[in-house]
Amino acid sequence: AARGSFRRAVLGDRNPDLVAVYRALQQDVEGVMDVGLGSLLQAFPGGIFPIGSVHECWCPCWEETAAASGFVAGILQTLMARRGAVVWIGAELFPPVLSAFGLDPGRFLFVKPSRPDDTIWCIEEALRYSGLAAVVGEVNRLSFIASRRLQLAVEQSRVTGFVLNRSARQPGTNACAVRWRISPLPGMLEEGMPGVGFAHWRGEVMKVRGGKPGAWEITWRGGRFQVASRQAAAPSLKVHGQKRTAG
């Protein structure tokens, strides 16, 4: 019954083959979609951000989960401008913060499964509905089989999926098109101004099909991304109480 209710809620070096696939997916939304990531796009085949695919964000600590949530929200601003709503599953998110990224929380459906084992099923079911702009899911682990199911779902619906993988262990091989790691950096301040500054991250593309992994400094400022070409130093963070270095 719970699963039926969820379904009703949701319904109310360049690889030339990959370049062709990404371009075809972009054409479905009226031309090449610019998510504002500037020089970071060189990591992807043909410089095209892969929509209609599953993106994994590895978040081994809560600080990186928060950073990845903000980064994904910035991308959602572009995806939601074209069509539909977003389903966010397993969220440890305070919805009003989405307004900082130009998003209306009223266009989100937040789902918190009563059992963690149902989370992947919920993400898969949401990804099958082509009317959505995107699906975001937070999980404690992501197996190859589960990632393959999610990728098969988006190949039919062409919805973009983001999976925030909160496992403390570095993930192994899976079927996601891209693996990100978004680590927080000190806020970027206006010159001579006090405060916490603008959101600032180290955005690493750890794995990308047919592309070139790398790391960039990213700032959210003035309602858009600003991407620096230089590599960012890996920050020191804690994972379950133990200090470690990102990257």
Side-chain angles (χ1 to χ4, degrees), residues 185-220:
L185 295 173
M188 294 289 286
L189 293 170
E190 291 275 15
E191 187 174 353
M193 297 293 291
V196 296
F198 299 101
H200 187 206
W201 309 293
R202 177 183 188 268
E204 180 182 2
V205 178
M206 301 179 68
K207 181 203 79 169
V208 54
R209 243 182 255 160
K212 298 179 180 179
W216 292 261
E217 283 190 28
I218 307 168
T219 305
W220 182 261

